[in-house]
Amino acid sequence: MEAENQTEVIEFILLGLSEDLELQPVLFGLFLSMYLVTVLGNLLIILAVGSDARLHTPMYFFLSNLSFIDVCFSTSIIPKMLLNIQTGSKAISYRDCLAQVYFTMFFPILDTLLLTVMAYDRFVAICHPLHYTVIMNPRLCALLVFLTWFIGVTTSLLHISLTTRLTFCKDLDIPHFFCELTQILKLACSDTFLHSVLIYFMTGVLGVFPLLGILASYSRIASSIRKMSSSGGKQKAFSTCGSHLSVVSLFYGTGVGVYFTSAVTHSSQKISVASVMYTVVTPMLNPFIYSLRNKDMKGALGRLVGKAASCL
């Protein structure tokens, strides 16, 4: 790359979580284990939903999509991190870095929108139970999932189209374990004002408004539950919403944690460690939250494991 031109970028350098050589085997084992648990847990959720006719409902259709997104999100980050630790190389090509930037925006957007759709599904199920099958018909469910993917694709492509026009300085070291958009913008020599405005705008539209939608749905749900006379009905309503609320709290809690960490500290290492929560820990915990708190899911997983064991 020519220092004067600064437009042709060959590769970036991912500094990772730590430069301590003795810590690398520990990090490799830890993240490999977490990745395998994430993939296995979410694939089991997808297989259980697909193989059990009792789970062919809108709620579990959305859940299987969420599990698929979590697998893809982790796969876009962790394998490259593990490869760099194993080979001792911290380099990532320009194209691979842009791909990571795209997918690390794309999949969280899908997560946000899908969690909002799932909140709406619970709202209809509890507040309008007699009309649930009519409202949440297969056509609407497919349309809602399509819209989440369409919004995610177009928004991420818009960011990437602006990123490809950036020119970069000599220092191409990224103090992170993956290519994050904000870190890439810090390395740019060209003007990033438009990009920054777009980030804040999209964060408001695709972060705050979906959260407001979720809160509005659950305020109506809470009101409906209070009006129920049957304690059994209340318990069933709480059980169907508990898992989703836990996942929403974990997702937004870790996201807000990363935001405040970056706001109050300039330590890139602390920001990277905080980012582990929403990029690695959250996708890993989601299957456990849904399987441990849901009787139907536990039953489906038990039957799936039983079938697999009988085939051996």
Side-chain angles (χ1 to χ4, degrees):
M1 183 182 67
E2 296 179 1
E4 295 81 12
N5 195 355
Q6 299 180 350
T7 57
E8 184 184 350
V9 179
I10 299 175
E11 62 184 19
F12 292 94
I13 303 298
L14 293 172
L15 299 182
L17 289 170
S18 173
E19 296 185 11
D20 187 349
L21 295 178
E22 295 182 356
L23 194 59
Q24 300 308 306
V26 177
L27 291 175
F28 181 86
L30 177 63
F31 280 90
L32 177 60
S33 302
M34 296 173 74
Y35 178 64
L36 292 177
V37 170
T38 299
V39 173
L40 179 60
N42 283 289
L43 286 182
L44 282 175
I45 294 290
I46 296 172
L47 291 173
V49 172
S51 63
D52 197 318
R54 280 165 285 196
L55 300 184
H56 292 175
T57 63
M59 181 176 74
Y60 294 108
F61 170 68
F62 297 136
L63 175 59
S64 60
N65 275 272
L66 182 67
S67 294
F68 175 73
I69 292 167
D70 284 342
V71 170
C72 294
F73 185 32
S74 296
T75 302
S76 67
I77 297 174
I78 302 180
K80 178 59 180 175
M81 177 187 181
L82 295 176
L83 178 64
N84 283 5
I85 293 175
Q86 184 67 21
T87 60
S89 170
K90 297 182 179 181
I92 181 171
S93 69
Y94 176 72
R95 289 185 178 181
D96 288 346
C97 191
L98 286 185
Q100 273 200 344
V101 170
Y102 177 83
F103 288 121
T104 52
M105 288 187 297
F106 176 54
F107 292 120
I109 290 173
L110 291 187
D111 266 334
T112 303
L113 297 177
L114 196 56
L115 288 173
T116 308
V117 169
M118 294 172 76
Y120 175 71
D121 171 71
R122 292 300 83 208
F123 159 72
V124 176
I126 294 173
C127 299
H128 304 283
L130 299 179
H131 303 285
Y132 178 71
T133 55
V134 177
I135 297 174
M136 299 302 295
N137 58 75
R139 184 176 180 179
L140 177 63
C141 294
L143 178 61
L144 290 172
V145 171
F146 170 77
L147 286 176
T148 61
W149 281 77
F150 178 77
I151 294 171
V153 167
T154 53
T155 303
S156 302
L157 282 177
L158 181 58
H159 279 291
I160 284 296
S161 65
L162 292 177
T163 305
T164 55
R165 300 176 185 179
L166 297 176
T167 57
F168 295 92
C169 304
K170 291 182 179 180
D171 184 11
L172 298 178
D173 292 349
I174 301 175
H176 217 307
F177 60 95
F178 67 96
C179 289
E180 188 182 38
L181 179 59
T182 55
Q183 298 293 336
I184 297 296
L185 295 182
K186 291 178 182 178
L187 302 179
C189 294
S190 53
D191 183 28
T192 60
F193 175 76
L194 181 60
H195 222 321
S196 299
V197 170
L198 182 62
I199 290 174
Y200 284 114
F201 177 75
M202 290 303 179
T203 301
V205 173
L206 299 177
V208 176
F209 282 103
L211 179 59
L212 293 177
I214 293 172
L215 294 176
S217 295
Y218 274 103
S219 66
R220 296 287 299 276
I221 290 172
S223 178
S224 295
I225 291 176
R226 284 198 301 267
K227 295 177 182 178
M228 292 181 181
S229 57
S230 170
S231 59
K234 290 182 178 181
Q235 185 176 3
K236 183 178 180 180
F238 277 121
S239 66
T240 58
C241 295
S243 299
H244 180 255
L245 273 174
S246 299
V247 171
V248 169
S249 301
L250 183 63
F251 179 79
Y252 276 97
T254 54
V256 171
V258 172
Y259 174 80
F260 278 110
T261 300
S262 59
V264 301
T265 181
H266 296 290
S267 172
S268 58
Q269 187 174 16
K270 290 181 179 179
I271 296 173
S272 297
V273 171
S275 298
V276 171
M277 292 300 297
Y278 84 92
T279 58
V280 182
V281 176
T282 298
M284 180 185 69
L285 292 181
N286 284 350
F288 292 99
I289 293 173
Y290 274 103
S291 61
L292 294 178
R293 297 177 61 92
N294 190 302
K295 292 182 180 179
D296 293 335
M297 183 57 67
K298 284 193 288 186
L301 287 172
R303 289 187 288 273
L304 179 64
V305 173
K307 288 180 182 178
S310 63
C311 294
L312 296 177

